[in-house]
Amino acid sequence: MRGAQGDLLRLIAGGHAESRAELARLSGLAASSVSLRVEELIGSGLLVEEGSVSSRGGRRPRRLRVSPTAGVLAVADLGGHHARLGLLDLSGTPLVVEERPCEIALGPEATLNWIAASFDDLLATHGPAGVPLRGIAIGLPGPVDPASGRVVSPSRMPGWNNFPVAEHFGAHYDLPVLVENDANLLAVGEARAWPGCETVLVLKAGSGIGCGVIVNGVLHRGRGAAGDISHVRVRSDSSVTCSCGHLDCLEAYASGAALMGVLAEQGIAVGRPSDVVALVDDGIPEATALVRNAGRLIGEVLTVLVNFINPDAIVVGGSLSKAEPLISAIRAAVYERCLPLATRDLEIAVTRSGPDAALLGAGILLLDAVLS
Ligand SMILES: [Zn+2]
């Protein structure tokens, strides 16, 4: 759907408007045009009208919502060793979410075929009868070219470089397919939990390190790799070669994969980043020192970004975000080094949206793709 109808539906689906008056104000369309198009959207089954919104005096307008029976979105967020998969209705409400083990290192064909089979499985078990699948979205832990839907030079994803992910899904489904960097999905999903914050940096600290950038309420993709801070060079007394071949990238010191590597050298075997958090919680000093150092290095990189873009909030997600020393070290570095005007009202905190934030972000971006 192109043009004004799609714009109005997006405003409602995105939670920005729930009445004709709000639609008119936000879209700039005349009230009569809004009413006409809303009636058409209700007639085509995409919108429903129910209850009422609060109103100061006068007649109480009825509340517009995207119809729960208008369609289903299938969304997936892939990590190194697991995937979260879900079905959402068009308003972005999850119908079902599951986490399943999945090794991304098995390569794109095996992984994507498994995802398609998992979607079919979820649709057969949880898909509402007669409600059509409208689109597919998948988040990947690597840089994604938004034009082609291909992953470009990812770390720890053997065989994925330049693989046509969107085209591969296109062979399974004749539907819009959205392929996006996982930190970008997290940023879009999380930003809704920070009302009043227009510019937000959302860090994903898991096996790798990613950052989604929300500027004036909108995801900033740049040329596809915006926010990819993993290969920024950091200060260090030692010297470590990164997976990209350069020396002393942030990822080589502060990613979950790097921390696990150092712990293994010290005789402490862990399988996933959440195990590192468990070691910190258990007071294992080697783990705590490593996580604190990772937070300091991440914070030093963030100081540049904070001075440059002056965000309202820095939100930290990903499995390592549950380690308290990581967050306090990030805060210490940023507050110590940044300009007072930049940090006066800056919030640095862990994510508020819970484990499904990236799937909710996938739903928001996918609905945009479906409607355009
Ligand atoms: Zn690197």
Side-chain angles (χ1 to χ4, degrees):
M1 183 180 303
R2 294 181 184 281
Q5 277 193 339
D7 291 342
L8 298 183
L9 198 56
R10 274 191 286 274
L11 285 171
I12 293 167
H16 305 291
E18 53 181 26
S19 69
R20 288 169 175 76
E22 286 169 342
L23 286 173
R25 181 170 59 79
L26 291 170
S27 68
L29 293 169
S32 55
S33 303
V34 167
S35 278
L36 183 67
R37 292 186 169 98
V38 165
E39 292 309 322
E40 287 169 356
L41 286 165
I42 291 172
S44 60
L46 288 171
L47 277 187
V48 288
E49 204 167 21
E50 60 182 29
S52 61
V53 289
S54 61
S55 166
R56 291 182 218 95
R59 196 156 58 90
R60 291 164 77 85
R62 305 193 67 198
R63 181 197 296 159
L64 295 164
R65 278 188 53 206
V66 174
S67 167
T69 59
V72 174
L73 307 174
V75 293
D77 180 33
L78 258 71
H81 308 288
H82 68 277
R84 284 184 84 79
L85 303 135
L87 301 179
L88 313 177
D89 69 22
L90 289 197
S91 69
T93 305
L95 305 174
V96 58
V97 173
E98 288 186 3
E99 184 163 322
R100 300 181 179 186
C102 164
E103 290 297 324
I104 207 164
L106 292 176
E109 300 223 18
T111 306
L112 297 177
N113 290 342
W114 174 82
I115 288 175
S118 300
F119 281 156
D120 291 345
D121 179 32
L122 287 180
L123 286 163
T125 317
H126 301 279
V131 178
L133 180 65
R134 297 270 192 173
I136 305 285
I138 173 165
L140 294 167
V144 174
D145 176 0
S148 66
R150 291 170 183 246
V151 190
V152 182
S153 303
S155 304
R156 291 178 303 281
M157 291 174 67
W160 285 80
N161 184 39
N162 217 24
F163 187 84
V165 177
E167 282 173 40
H168 187 84
F169 268 118
H172 286 268
Y173 305 97
D174 185 20
L175 293 167
V177 177
L178 177 92
V179 185
E180 185 57 88
N181 170 261
D182 61 347
N184 283 353
L185 295 185
L186 177 66
V188 171
E190 182 64 23
R192 295 185 70 179
W194 295 82
C197 291
E198 288 291 301
T199 298
V200 185
L201 303 178
V202 181
L203 199 79
K204 183 169 182 184
S207 293
I209 298 175
C211 182
V213 183
I214 304 290
V215 180
N216 295 331
V218 177
L219 175 66
H220 176 74
R221 286 194 181 86
R223 305 202 52 86
D228 192 335
I229 58 172
S230 43
H231 302 290
V232 172
R233 188 167 191 170
V234 296
R235 278 189 314 136
S236 173
D237 299 331
S238 56
S239 196
V240 176
T241 305
C242 176
S243 58
C244 73
H246 289 295
L247 286 178
D248 298 338
C249 296
L250 179 64
E251 173 171 307
Y253 289 95
S255 65
L259 301 186
M260 290 192 294
V262 176
L263 286 169
E265 285 168 16
Q266 297 177 355
I268 306 171
V270 286
R272 29 197 301 174
S274 54
D275 298 337
V276 180
V277 178
L279 292 175
V280 172
D281 290 343
D282 286 344
I284 307 297
E286 292 89 343
T288 306
L290 274 175
V291 165
R292 190 174 289 134
N293 186 55
R296 178 182 65 79
L297 293 170
I298 292 170
E300 286 182 4
V301 171
L302 288 174
T303 58
V304 180
L305 306 179
V306 167
N307 281 342
F308 185 75
I309 205 167
N310 283 198
D312 302 310
I314 294 173
V315 182
V316 188
S319 43
L320 281 183
S321 68
K322 297 189 180 71
E324 217 288 315
L326 186 93
I327 307 299
S328 24
I330 290 175
R331 281 200 187 105
V334 171
Y335 289 133
E336 183 188 339
R337 297 283 308 197
C338 287
L339 301 168
L341 186 56
T343 53
R344 189 180 292 163
D345 299 313
L346 171 66
E347 273 210 69
I348 302 176
V350 292
T351 47
R352 291 173 174 170
S353 300
D356 295 337
L359 295 186
L360 301 180
I364 292 168
L365 293 178
L366 178 56
L367 183 67
D368 247 13
V370 167
L371 295 178
S372 60

